[in-house]
Amino acid sequence: MGAQATSDRTARAGWHNWAGTVTASPARTAAPASTDEVADAVRQAAADGLRVKAVGTGHSFTAAAQTEGLMLRPDRLTGIRRVDREEGTVTVAAGTPLKQLNRELAELGLSLTNMGDIMEQTVSGAVSTGTHGTGRDSAAIAAQIVGLELVTADGAVLRCSRTENPEVFAAARVGLGALGVVTEITFAVEPEFLLTAREEPMPFARVTEEFDQLVATNEHFEFYWFPHTDGCNTKRNNRSQGPARPLPRVRGWIDDEFLSNGVFQAVCSLGKAAPATVPGMARISSRALSTRSYTDIPYKVFTSPRRVRFVEMEYALPREAAMAALREVREAVDRSDFRVCFPVEIRTAPADDIALSTASGRETAYVAVHMYRGTRYEPYFTAVEAIMTAHGGRPHWGKLHTRDAAYLAENYPRFEEFRSLRDRLDPDRLFGNAYLRRVLGD
């Protein structure tokens, strides 16, 4: 069945994202298996007057991929296409889930240098929305791209790198789906290495006071603060000569499945039904944290399963502003009637050179807030967003926020560069939708 095959059942049933915050009823769906099939589908949609959006696995909380036109599904555009060990690169089809890529790279004895903390997304969905992990020297996933292939609005296939169409490469690595359909990505990779993770509870005052030192002395540092408490959990990941010492299977299952997913699901459900119980449960949870250390291959250290469904907002701040902003978030929670089950997550990234990367041109720290799906999140997120924007924050492109093009133009020095390129590549807005109208203007 080719790219033009349409599933009437799928179209009628519609599509929704992981969190249930976005739904879509496309007029047509297609699952192309090659770049040529993507190009054919784009040309046919344009001829039929349909807008085009490619979706991944739906892990974005925004409507970045929403469409009533042609929805391109990732299911068949998967797999590693080329490995160049001499150049240290791997080329992968854009619909490949990160978990598949990580496992196949491990089988080849290779690894990405850095990655986010989940791996359910497709590679193109992850990079197009600026997915990142945490790192002192190593940046977001998109910054590890050395080449990509893009189907543009006229159905042409554009190959981009630092030497081939460099102006497109500078923007399309975090392209929001606005410049075309990414069909292939080439990542810089390296021989597989080991990371030692040390997870340790730490009081809020100490971790915020020592934040700069903790970032400077660790390759990858992040921490979580539990609202309604003084408790934080820190994680330091650093390269190791080995030997590998993975978490014992039973300990890993208890910590990462039973406690972090099973018990946490029950806690969130109780908090939703009885919000007054949340602060007490948070204090119990923060006191239950214990130190643990293990050494394993990168994706088994960087990533963890997230089965409890939530909604999320995340802002990228100038790194020097992050701790002041976090203290303000704590004050806002303490003086309000918010009841927040989920911890606040803080990560870092070095500056990069991608036009709409949240770390574009500046050392960055990320502050992410979450609420259990189905609970009233708007007042909490609104209060946090006011703090973040007062510090010049840039919202994560795939997470909930209320910013528009006017705000974003003030906070991205290369914003007009991106919009000019969009005008050139997609003047009729074949790849447009309501979300892009809001964040990019028209």
Side-chain angles (χ1 to χ4, degrees), residues 89-237:
T89 63
V90 168
T91 301
V92 61
T96 307
L98 283 169
K99 61 183 176 183
Q100 177 184 339
L101 174 62
N102 285 332
R103 289 165 183 164
E104 290 185 8
L105 286 177
E107 291 172 2
L108 294 167
L110 300 170
S111 178
L112 295 170
T113 298
N114 198 357
M115 58 193 76
D117 55 10
I118 63 170
M119 54 179 182
E120 302 304 314
Q121 313 100 310
T122 61
V123 293
S124 60
V127 301
S128 295
T129 56
T131 295
H132 61 91
T134 190
R136 180 189 62 202
D137 310 306
S138 53
I141 300 175
Q144 298 169 67
I145 296 174
V146 296
L148 60 84
E149 183 180 78
L150 187 73
V151 173
T152 56
D154 59 359
V157 178
L158 197 64
R159 291 178 175 83
C160 314
S161 68
R162 293 193 185 278
T163 57
E164 187 176 16
N165 297 305
E167 77 288 355
V168 180
F169 182 72
R173 285 173 287 168
V174 180
L176 315 185
L179 305 178
V181 179
V182 176
T183 50
E184 179 180 283
I185 298 172
T186 300
F187 289 104
V189 295
E190 58 180 302
E192 189 175 71
F193 53 93
L194 292 172
L195 285 172
T196 293
R198 177 175 174 80
E199 299 173 13
E200 178 184 9
M202 192 176 291
F204 183 91
R206 180 184 167 193
V207 71
T208 54
E209 288 169 6
E210 298 180 8
F211 177 70
D212 289 337
Q213 178 185 352
L214 289 163
V215 171
T217 55
N218 292 281
E219 292 175 79
H220 309 274
F221 175 73
E222 62 187 304
F223 74 95
Y224 302 81
W225 166 61
F226 292 81
H228 314 294
T229 81
D230 190 46
C232 298
N233 196 36
T234 65
K235 185 177 182 182
R236 291 171 256 197
N237 298 332

